[in-house]
């Protein structure tokens, strides 16, 4: 069965410092991976997906199949980045999408 | 497009009562997913529905929980005879195609508190 691990419950960094939110997955096939973000009092929303290879709000994530990781990175943290971040693995099985979420990491950017 | 709507946003029930949570997907979306988030835990998949069909309910507790997505109207997650352990945030998401690359759009959630 597929599994997503986010080892850090809380990550505190100073403004301007680099950020790396870790995500490891276990799945034998070719996964689709996403990062979702939940700002305070807002709904969960998509931040980025590996298939797009895009940079959103300065964040990037590279899929490393050898290490089965999809870490989220940003070179310089901003206060507005403080939020809950969820890594998610999506697979197409039995004719539909099934998404498995990690437990989330709370990013706290200290001014 | 108002996005995924959920109501109520907050629901308080006493033990033994029934809880009904509603989810209206985004316009044009026919795939609905329900997730539960217990305190201090991540999102856990509960059930996946298409119109009038339950496709995957592998994440649903075997008893007291049921879900539907009728031809007309919102999707309903129903919890009978609630217990304190049911207190959680329940999120609904919808997508248009249900494929692996599809984005799921989330509602604001319903926070259920069982007294």
């Amino acid at each position: 069965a597929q599994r997503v691990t986010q080892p850090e419950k809380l990550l505190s960094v100073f403004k301007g410092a680099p950020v790396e939110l870790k995500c490891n997955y276990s799945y034998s096939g070719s996964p689709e991976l996403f990062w979702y973000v939940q700002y305070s009092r807002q709904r969960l929303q998509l931040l980025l997906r590996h298939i797009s290879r895009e940079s959103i709000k300065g964040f990037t994530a590279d899929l490393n199949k050898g290490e089965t990781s999809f870490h989220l990175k940003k070179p310089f943290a901003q206060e507005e980045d403080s939020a809950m971040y969820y890594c998610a693995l999506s697979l197409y099985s039995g004719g539909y999408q099934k998404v498995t979420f990690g437990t989330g990491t709370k990013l706290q950017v200290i001014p | 497009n108002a996005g995924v709507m959920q109501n109520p946003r907050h629901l308080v029930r006493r033990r033994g009562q029934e809880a009904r949570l509603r989810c209206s997907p985004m316009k044009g979306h026919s795939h609905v997913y329900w997730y539960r988030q217990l305190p201090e835990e991540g999102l856990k998949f509960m059930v996946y529905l298409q119109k009038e069909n339950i496709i995957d309910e592998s994440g649903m507790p075997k008893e007291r929980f049921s879900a539907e997505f009728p031809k007309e109207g919102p999707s309903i997650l129903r919890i009978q005879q609630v217990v304190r352990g049911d207190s959680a945030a329940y999120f609904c998401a919808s997508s248009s195609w249900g494929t692996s690359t599809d984005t799921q759009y989330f509602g604001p959630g319903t926070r259920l508190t069982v007294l």
Side-chain angles (χ1 to χ4, degrees):
Chain A
Q2 64 277 9
R3 195 170 184 172
V4 177
T5 303
Q6 291 180 253
E8 301 141 329
K9 271 195 162 182
L10 173 66
L11 181 65
S12 296
V13 301
F14 285 101
K15 179 182 171 181
V19 174
E20 183 178 49
L21 297 165
K22 290 184 167 46
C23 172
N24 288 88
Y25 66 91
S26 61
Y27 177 58
S28 55
S30 293
E32 303 292 343
L33 285 149
F34 300 77
W35 276 97
Y36 282 82
V37 61
Q38 187 176 28
Y39 300 104
S40 180
R41 297 193 186 88
Q42 293 186 30
R43 64 186 68 194
L44 207 67
Q45 57 187 287
L46 178 69
L47 180 62
L48 56 80
R49 64 182 87 183
H50 95 269
I51 196 171
S52 303
R53 300 189 65 81
E54 58 201 343
S55 173
I56 305 292
K57 299 185 179 183
F59 284 97
T60 59
D62 289 317
L63 179 61
N64 185 323
K65 289 187 178 181
E67 295 182 359
T68 59
S69 68
F70 188 56
H71 303 327
L72 184 68
K73 298 178 184 178
K74 184 170 183 177
F76 308 104
Q78 304 297 316
E79 287 180 66
E80 55 266 28
D81 296 329
S82 295
M84 279 292 292
Y85 291 81
Y86 293 92
C87 182
L89 182 154
S90 171
L91 58 98
Y92 193 66
S93 174
Y96 67 94
Q97 180 194 40
K98 189 161 182 178
V99 181
T100 301
F101 284 87
T103 50
T105 298
K106 183 175 182 178
L107 176 63
Q108 185 178 60
V109 180
I110 304 163
Chain B
N1 196 334
V4 178
M5 308 289 285
Q6 286 187 252
N7 67 79
R9 294 291 306 276
H10 300 275
L11 182 61
V12 179
R13 285 286 178 266
R14 296 190 180 281
R15 280 180 298 170
Q17 291 184 318
E18 179 180 285
R20 278 186 181 237
L21 289 64
R22 293 174 188 77
C23 169
S24 297
M26 281 182 73
K27 191 175 180 181
H29 285 190
S30 59
H31 302 260
V32 168
Y33 305 80
W34 284 94
Y35 296 88
R36 178 165 66 173
Q37 185 176 36
L38 294 169
E40 305 300 316
E41 294 188 19
L43 292 164
K44 293 280 175 64
F45 167 79
M46 297 183 76
V47 62
Y48 162 58
L49 309 104
Q50 292 182 24
K51 284 284 187 183
E52 300 184 275
N53 286 304
I54 297 174
I55 308 301
D56 181 356
E57 55 182 349
S58 58
M60 289 270 274
K62 294 286 185 280
E63 296 174 353
R64 303 187 297 109
F65 285 72
S66 62
E68 62 177 14
F69 189 15
K71 191 176 179 182
E72 300 291 336
S75 175
I76 307 281
L77 179 67
R78 184 179 173 209
I79 311 172
Q80 294 178 292
Q81 299 175 316
V82 296
V83 300
R84 288 223 174 98
D86 297 333
S87 295
Y90 292 83
F91 291 93
C92 164
S94 73
S95 67
S96 54
W97 301 107
T99 62
S100 59
T101 56
D102 221 6
T103 298
Q104 292 194 1
Y105 293 86
F106 281 81
T110 294
R111 297 198 180 275
L112 172 65
T113 301
V114 179
L115 302 177

